[in-house]
Amino acid sequence: MCKCNNKFRDDKLHHECGVLGIYGVEDAAGLAYYGLHALQHRGQQGCGIVTVGPSGEFHRVKGDGLVSEVFNEQKMEKLPGRMAIGHVRYSADGEQDVLNAQPLVSRYIKGPLAVATNGTLTNYHELKRQLEQEGAIFQTTNESEIIMHLLARARMETGRVETGLAKIMKTQLRGAYALVMMSPQKLIACRDPKGMKPLCMGKIENSYVFASETCALDTVRAEFVRELDPGEIVIVDVNGVRT
């Protein structure tokens, strides 16, 4: 979990996680691998990649350790598809359980969803208590699982994942965060309303890349387009890009 509670407990520089999203690229996982390498300084405790396969199925590889330690040729072969999200992790609270490695994948009545988050929800404990009292079961201690629970409920009301995300950003999520998420059909990226966490957008011909830092765009040879605005949600799917 990317909490700030103990971030000053030592004299090392910690950026507390990095996220990456890729849409419309052949071998999206291979590109994500190199992008995560570029973001490695933001988190050295764990990493992961999730892709969407040709039939809309999700494929995931994650683990504790550096990108070069978690992924190898055999594991990369398990990640087909033209859409991917990735994450490098630093846990300020010291919890290095592989279950906390992101991206997280959930499956509910509206279908599968994968989420990777960089940031801190200041009302994390409040939201978790509320969800637990409503019967929610948690497998991790990171913000992404909180967001997934809230998003599942909001999406049932609003119909679309992006409108559900907009609703919980306005009414429930407090703090500094940037995230990327995927459904089988679309890639979504957003920044918190105050723009506290960085997230930029790049382009490779007609494909799109989102990353915590532009160094990841440079590594995958994506042209920098712009920074996402505070509170902005960007959606990429077969119809193009909208915000």
Side-chain angles (χ1 to χ4, degrees):
M1 175 179 177
C2 302
K3 297 182 192 175
C4 293
N5 298 7
N6 301 311
K7 69 179 291 185
F8 299 114
R9 65 185 174 188
D10 56 35
D11 59 357
K12 297 179 182 178
L13 178 63
H14 298 299
H15 289 280
E16 298 184 10
C17 306
V19 297
L20 181 76
I22 298 173
Y23 181 92
V25 177
E26 292 291 343
D27 187 23
L31 216 61
Y33 174 88
Y34 290 109
L36 292 182
H37 256 297
L39 297 174
Q40 188 74 88
H41 59 281
R42 298 185 67 91
Q44 300 84 39
Q45 292 182 347
C47 58
I49 295 173
V50 176
T51 64
V52 177
S55 301
E57 74 281 9
F58 279 27
H59 302 268
R60 174 177 57 182
V61 173
K62 67 176 185 175
D64 288 336
L66 302 176
V67 175
S68 59
E69 296 170 339
V70 172
F71 295 97
N72 55 36
E73 185 175 350
Q74 291 72 32
K75 290 181 179 179
M76 295 301 294
E77 290 176 353
K78 299 178 180 179
L79 295 169
R82 296 171 52 87
M83 182 164 52
I85 62 173
H87 187 270
V88 289
R89 175 174 176 263
Y90 163 68
S91 175
D93 60 10
E95 294 192 23
Q96 299 186 42
D97 192 318
V98 70
L99 287 175
N100 279 304
Q102 298 187 54
L104 298 185
V105 175
S106 69
R107 293 171 178 82
Y108 67 114
I109 194 169
K110 291 288 187 177
L113 190 71
V115 178
T117 307
N118 163 223
T120 302
L121 296 179
T122 56
N123 60 337
Y124 169 85
H125 295 291
E126 174 188 335
L127 291 172
K128 187 175 183 180
R129 280 195 301 270
Q130 175 186 332
L131 289 166
E132 286 175 333
Q133 289 171 356
E134 294 173 358
I137 298 173
F138 290 88
Q139 301 295 323
T140 76
T141 59
N142 63 50
E143 275 85 353
S144 289
E145 193 169 15
I146 293 285
I147 292 170
M148 281 180 154
H149 276 288
L150 296 175
L151 190 56
R153 289 161 168 76
R155 192 178 179 188
M156 293 297 292
E157 298 174 5
T158 64
R160 294 189 299 174
V161 63
E162 58 266 34
T163 52
L165 178 59
K167 178 179 179 179
I168 66 172
M169 286 175 66
K170 291 178 181 179
T171 61
Q172 293 175 294
L173 303 184
R174 296 201 301 268
Y177 56 88
L179 64 85
V180 290
M181 66 171 61
M182 294 189 307
S183 72
Q185 297 82 28
K186 64 185 72 173
L187 176 68
I188 298 172
C190 79
R191 290 180 75 187
D192 68 83
K194 295 185 182 298
M196 297 292 289
K197 290 293 182 179
L199 194 63
C200 59
M201 179 169 64
K203 194 173 183 182
I204 305 174
E205 298 180 349
N206 295 319
S207 305
Y208 290 88
V209 181
F210 299 89
S212 294
E213 295 184 25
T214 56
C215 60
L217 304 184
D218 295 337
T219 299
V220 301
R221 299 185 179 181
E223 176 188 1
F224 173 75
V225 176
R226 63 181 177 87
E227 294 279 346
L228 269 67
D229 292 330
E232 183 178 12
I233 301 173
V234 178
I235 305 100
V236 189
D237 58 20
V238 293
N239 298 314
V241 181
R242 61 187 186 277
T243 182

